[in-house]
Amino acid sequence: MNDLVRQHTALSDSDLEWLHLLVSEWQLLSDLSFADLVLWVPTLDGTRYVSVAQMRPNTGPTSYQDDMVGHLVPRGRRPLLDAALDEGRIVREGDPEWREEVPVRVESIPVRREGRVLGVIARNTNLLTVRTPSRLELTYLQSASDLAQMIAAGTFPFSGEQVDMDSSPRAGDGLVRLDAEGIVQYASPNALSAYHRLGLAADLVGQHLGQITAELAPSRGPVDEALVKLASGYAPREFEVEGNGGVIQLRAIPLKPKGTRIGSLVLLRDVTELRRRERELITKDATIREIHHRVKNNLQTVAALLRLQARRMDSDRGREALNEAVRRVGSIAIVHETLSQNLDERVEFDEIADRVIAMVAEISPGKVTCRRNGRFGILDAEVATPLSMVLTEILQNALEHAFAQGEQGAVEVGAVRGETRTDARLLITVQDDGRGLPEGFDPQRAGNLGLQIVRTLVEGELGGSFDMLPGAERGTKVVLDIPVRSQK
């Protein structure tokens, strides 16, 4: 719609915003009218109309099989559009039009904003299945007529009220028609069922909806006057009421077809099961976070026990082996600590990498510096956990074997994300400026336990590749290429 309006019309951005607000609401008008809606806007030179939006009803058959958006018609071809635009009033056709052997009743509703007519809504009703209307259908049609008059007067939609049509109640979910005093004139079967879910034993017709709603909602004090006002439809609001184990979502629409409120339209939907599932998900998320927190605590306990055991070891090799185990357990604990603070099973790995680098750097005699360059980005937990261990082992190996005791040096961890429409990969490099690889060293076969762990995790769990190469000038460069899920 933005492109069509800006290309063909002289409407301002504020006018376009009003049309967007109208289009976000007009599914209601279409459903209440049992009719198709097409929004026509005059072109810049005033000689034609361009259709910028279209809506089909959920409550009846369509009168347009084709998409009308983008069509251009000259003035004079559709007299009802001309009359509605020029005179600023709703224009109804006396005799129906015939389209593909289907009779269609045509009406034109001017769209007014701040005294100006921006365009015209063509309301087209398929008359092929017309029969004697029921009380529900008559209420729908009367409510649609009131809304159409409000659109023509520029009082609907309501300024500043953006409605999410995906979650807001619709006409078919449940509809209540109130008079100016808030007394129920008509309640659809779905609306009555929703109030029965709240605990209402009687009929709604003849009751004051605000009073009934406030009485059904649990309250420790007197009747909630604010809730009485909301449910009586005095202002356009959307809210929820919970009682008797049920939850209903309500949306109040004041009806002012001639400037004075004659009543209200209340749309409502039973969302009891939806809210129950949402609460279950919240509980599940909290449980998962608590599990990660407890796993982190248990791993820290294991690390503390290993650290105590290392202090009692007489053998230097045994002590160092236990200290390596402490760092391996610690790297996994860092991931679980991060997961315990998130709502999903994805983590920002840069923070984890920085903490792993700081943890491993503690074994350095103080002359070797470690730093990170680039971003790892967001990773799944199933990638983050083994990757944290891999990073720990590679850094630990570099600090232990690349530099002599007291030797100065640097280790740099680089990360680059590469994403396409079909693939996303993470390229990690760990570069040191130490003594380099021994003569004849084969990283795919040789190496200590740490390198065996790296190969197993990278190639087995992460499905990536691992290699160790001589640095460009000196030292060693470790390269990891790992498939990851897109951050989008």
Side-chain angles (χ1 to χ4, degrees):
M1 185 166 72
N2 288 353
D3 293 340
L4 289 171
V5 168
R6 288 170 179 154
Q7 179 183 354
H8 294 286
T9 78
L11 297 183
S12 65
D13 289 342
S14 57
D15 293 334
L16 178 58
E17 186 62 31
W18 181 262
L19 295 184
H20 274 292
L21 191 60
L22 172 65
V23 168
S24 72
E25 293 272 22
W26 72 343
Q27 179 71 66
L28 174 61
L29 178 62
S30 178
D31 290 344
L32 293 176
S33 304
F34 308 97
D36 290 80
L37 305 178
V38 179
L39 177 57
W40 296 92
V41 179
T43 57
L44 185 62
D45 58 9
T47 61
R48 296 180 297 175
Y49 297 96
V50 57
S51 59
V52 298
Q54 179 180 1
M55 179 58 65
R56 294 183 173 90
N58 293 318
T59 52
T62 183
S63 56
Y64 283 115
Q65 297 299 327
D66 298 327
D67 186 7
M68 296 296 297
V69 175
H71 283 215
L72 290 162
V73 297
R75 276 183 65 95
R77 179 174 297 179
R78 300 192 178 184
L80 295 184
L81 295 182
D82 298 339
L85 182 69
D86 297 338
E87 301 173 23
R89 64 180 180 86
I90 298 175
V91 182
R92 293 181 172 87
E93 179 66 63
D95 297 324
E97 293 182 2
W98 287 84
R99 300 175 185 167
E100 298 179 359
E101 300 183 357
V102 174
V104 176
R105 183 175 63 242
V106 181
E107 301 171 87
S108 292
I109 305 167
V111 177
R112 191 183 303 273
R113 174 180 179 264
E114 296 180 352
R116 297 180 299 112
V117 178
L118 306 183
V120 178
I121 294 176
R123 180 164 58 176
N124 303 271
T125 307
N126 187 325
L127 300 178
L128 196 61
T129 58
V130 169
R131 52 185 172 79
T132 303
S134 64
R135 179 74 187 279
L136 171 67
E137 292 167 334
L138 288 173
T139 303
Y140 272 30
L141 292 172
Q142 180 58 54
S143 301
S145 177
D146 293 336
L147 288 177
Q149 292 182 58
M150 292 170 65
I151 291 173
T155 57
F156 187 83
F158 303 108
S159 298
E161 190 199 17
Q162 188 69 40
V163 177
D164 183 1
M165 294 307 298
D166 291 334
S167 60
S168 184
R170 300 192 177 191
D173 296 325
L175 179 143
V176 176
R177 174 84 185 215
L178 309 179
D179 65 10
E181 302 301 322
I183 305 300
V184 177
Q185 301 298 301
Y186 176 79
S188 71
N190 285 345
L192 189 58
S193 296
Y195 266 84
H196 285 166
R197 188 72 175 264
L198 289 183
L200 179 68
D203 194 0
L204 270 175
V205 176
Q207 304 272 13
H208 190 283
L209 187 67
Q211 293 286 353
I212 286 293
T213 303
E215 291 171 5
L216 293 174
S219 176
R220 297 180 180 177
V223 173
D224 189 342
E225 294 297 332
L227 182 57
V228 173
K229 286 285 187 182
L230 286 174
S232 299
Y234 285 95
R237 293 289 185 273
E238 190 169 314
F239 56 99
E240 287 189 5
V241 176
E242 182 172 358
N244 194 41
V247 184
I248 61 173
Q249 181 183 17
L250 299 97
R251 184 190 174 203
I253 303 173
L255 297 175
K256 303 177 182 179
K258 297 182 179 180
T260 303
R261 194 174 73 87
I262 63 169
S264 303
L265 196 63
V266 178
L267 307 178
L268 57 94
R269 178 173 58 173
D270 185 349
V271 292
T272 305
E273 289 303 312
L274 179 62
R275 296 296 175 259
R276 181 185 64 81
R277 291 176 184 176
E278 287 178 352
R279 288 167 184 158
E280 287 180 352
L281 288 174
I282 292 172
T283 302
K284 180 181 177 182
D285 288 339
T287 302
I288 291 173
R289 289 198 299 272
E290 179 62 21
I291 289 173
H292 285 303
H293 180 71
R294 294 191 181 189
V295 170
K296 181 263 298 183
N297 288 344
N298 291 339
L299 290 172
Q300 289 181 338
T301 301
V302 172
L305 292 173
L306 291 173
R307 196 175 292 111
L308 286 173
Q309 187 65 43
R311 292 173 183 171
R312 296 175 177 270
M313 291 289 292
D314 295 330
S315 168
D316 291 340
R317 292 187 63 185
R319 187 182 306 110
E320 183 54 35
L322 288 176
N323 285 331
E324 287 183 2
V326 168
R327 287 188 285 273
R328 289 166 184 153
V329 173
S331 66
I332 301 175
I334 290 173
V335 176
H336 282 282
E337 181 179 3
T338 305
L339 288 169
S340 68
Q341 301 168 0
N342 291 345
L343 293 176
D344 56 17
E345 291 292 290
R346 306 191 77 191
V347 297
E348 180 65 58
F349 195 79
D350 294 315
E351 178 186 351
I352 294 175
D354 290 340
R355 294 181 63 181
V356 167
I357 290 172
M359 178 184 67
V360 177
E362 292 178 359
I363 69 172
S364 171
K367 299 293 182 80
V368 179
T369 59
C370 299
R371 62 179 180 272
R372 173 175 61 87
N373 181 28
R375 292 190 67 252
F376 288 84
I378 299 174
L379 299 177
D380 293 332
E382 61 215 29
V383 174
T385 301
L387 183 57
S388 66
M389 283 197 65
V390 167
L391 192 58
T392 300
E393 296 298 334
I394 293 175
L395 288 171
Q396 189 169 290
N397 186 74
L399 292 174
E400 287 184 357
H401 302 290
F403 306 98
Q405 185 70 24
E407 183 181 0
Q408 293 186 349
V411 179
E412 182 176 289
V413 178
V416 177
R417 293 284 289 249
E419 298 187 10
T420 64
R421 291 184 177 180
T422 59
D423 192 20
R425 304 193 74 82
L426 175 61
L427 182 65
I428 304 169
T429 58
V430 180
Q431 173 78 56
D432 67 66
D433 57 0
R435 68 186 68 174
L437 296 173
E439 187 70 27
F441 180 81
D442 184 358
Q444 302 303 327
R445 296 184 180 181
N448 53 22
L449 175 61
L451 290 181
Q452 294 177 23
I453 292 174
V454 169
R455 284 196 297 268
T456 301
L457 292 177
V458 172
E459 297 173 0
E461 289 198 32
L462 297 176
S465 61
F466 158 74
D467 201 4
M468 295 182 71
L469 309 166
E473 298 181 359
R474 57 174 300 184
T476 304
K477 182 178 182 180
V478 178
V479 181
L480 305 175
D481 187 2
I482 300 169
V484 293
R485 191 166 71 168
S486 173
Q487 299 185 83
K488 298 177 182 178

